Amino acid sequence: LILKRTQCFGLLRENVMYLAACLAVVAAVWVGATQAACPVSMGCFPASGNIALGRMIHANSTCGDPAKDFTIPLSGTQLEDICNASDPAKSHPASLAIDNDTTTWWQSEEYTFLVTLQLDFGCLMSLESSTLTFRSFRPNRMILEKSSDNGATWIPYQYYAQSCDFAPTFDCEFENLTKGQLGSLPDDSIEAFCLEEYSTSNDPDEFGTVQFLAASRFGDNRFDDQTIKDHLMLTNLRVRFRQLDTQGDDSDGASSSPDILQKYFYGVTEWNVEGHCHCNGHAETCNTTTPAGKISCGCNCQHYTTGDHCEECLPLYNNKPYQTGTSTEENACEICECNGHSTSCVYNATKGHGVCQNCMDNTEGDMCESCIPNFFRDPLN
């Protein structure tokens, strides 16, 4: 595909436009040649990082408006303070759940059961894990959900409950769930199981966690199984808190006491979401991160691919169908043989190869291998 120097000079002698066409072909080949190869003959994937940093986060319930006292029960004592949205030193907005600081936290209004905390990534990302660290009692019930269409539709990743066998009358979403056991969930199913391990009671000073560990559950299937790959692709992630753990204090009308109410809320000190830009197995790195550490949406594509997510082949590299990279196969795009007379091709399933488009230099054919009528090859080139 490397054009002979005499051919380029010959084109220059005939017409400057031919030289432009020559350079366009060289550029089409060069774009692919400049892409770095992955170190091994397999798909390549960016290293994971905290994709929550620098993203948009919001909640439908946040304490502090109006300002109210609250209490955090600790082992042997308790922390008493005030939540005041108008005082930065005493406010607890949603942004504090992703500030990478365990001394701050987001806090919902007291004794409010149905609360949503949502992350918006602004683009497609691939999820590895989600870890919520609490500054309150862990919820009695909650649901972790994802969207891959910017919040238009939602799919559950996992259910969490103190008892998966019991569905309260006020929450039908916990009816007929399949109970799972941490560490033994199937790696070939995207079913959202109900787990009890993360909903056992704990003291707030223990900083209890609730996790969804996609990498350890699905293993290499998250690279190889298209259903699972699609399942872990997301634009938004949200947790819907469904029931507070009130330690039984709200039984027999005790919930009417202000001293009881101010102890129970959802408080998240850190929401760490491990993942990376979604590159379809064709990039080792995301684009440069911002100074704040925000992981970019775009990919530094390899394997002769292009697009924000390396989702298609370069114009001249469609000699076979596009495929995503896997843990064992690179599935790199393949250059078409256009004899230096085209800058793009389209795969033809019937013919089993790429067909060159818009042949230049008075050529024609699937590979621009023939002269058009009344034109002949220069015998000197």
Side-chain angles (χ1 to χ4, degrees), residues 361-381:
D361 310 327
N362 303 312
T363 61
E364 64 181 2
D366 289 354
M367 301 179 183
C368 305
E369 73 278 12
S370 304
C371 293
I372 62 175
N374 300 320
F375 281 80
F376 305 91
R377 289 190 60 182
D378 184 347
L380 300 179
N381 295 296

Side-chain angles (χ1 to χ4, degrees), residues 102-219:
T102 57
T103 66
T104 63
W105 66 92
W106 160 77
Q107 183 172 314
S108 72
E109 297 169 277
E110 64 182 32
Y111 208 68
T112 302
F113 277 46
L114 305 181
V115 175
T116 299
L117 185 64
Q118 180 174 320
L119 271 168
D120 301 328
F121 301 112
C123 62
L124 285 174
M125 301 295 252
S126 291
L127 180 69
E128 293 281 288
S129 68
S130 166
T131 300
L132 288 149
T133 303
F134 286 86
R135 197 66 178 98
S136 62
F137 294 107
R138 287 189 297 192
N140 187 307
R141 296 177 184 275
M142 59 170 273
I143 309 170
L144 182 69
E145 298 176 315
K146 73 103 174 193
S147 172
S148 56
D149 53 14
N150 295 302
T153 59
W154 293 89
I155 297 173
Y157 272 143
Q158 207 145 266
Y159 296 85
Y160 306 84
Q162 285 190 358
S163 174
C164 294
D165 299 321
F166 169 72
T169 55
F170 63 81
D171 200 348
C172 61
E173 291 188 79
F174 280 83
E175 293 180 351
N176 304 315
L177 296 178
T178 302
K179 182 178 178 180
Q181 186 173 357
L182 193 64
S184 61
L185 299 176
D187 64 359
D188 58 354
S189 170
I190 61 173
E191 180 177 1
F193 291 91
C194 181
L195 298 181
E196 296 178 346
E197 289 88 343
Y198 291 113
S199 300
T200 55
S201 184
N202 69 288
D203 289 332
D205 58 346
E206 294 175 354
F207 294 95
T209 60
V210 177
Q211 295 182 305
F212 175 68
L213 303 174
S216 60
R217 172 178 170 180
F218 296 113

Side-chain angles (χ1 to χ4, degrees), residues 309-374:
H309 306 287
C310 311
E311 70 275 14
E312 59 184 2
C313 295
L314 287 167
L316 195 57
Y317 289 76
N318 288 287
N319 201 46
K320 65 179 184 180
Y322 170 87
Q323 291 180 282
T324 59
T326 72
S327 64
T328 57
E329 300 289 338
E330 64 179 6
N331 292 326
C333 296
E334 186 175 284
I335 195 167
C336 292
E337 177 55 76
C338 296
N339 290 291
H341 298 301
S342 178
T343 59
S344 66
C345 60
V346 175
Y347 178 74
N348 186 300
T350 301
K351 297 180 178 181
H353 60 76
V355 175
C356 303
Q357 303 294 295
N358 303 313
C359 292
M360 299 181 292
D361 310 327
N362 303 312
T363 61
E364 64 181 2
D366 289 354
M367 301 179 183
C368 305
E369 73 278 12
S370 304
C371 293
I372 62 175
N374 300 320

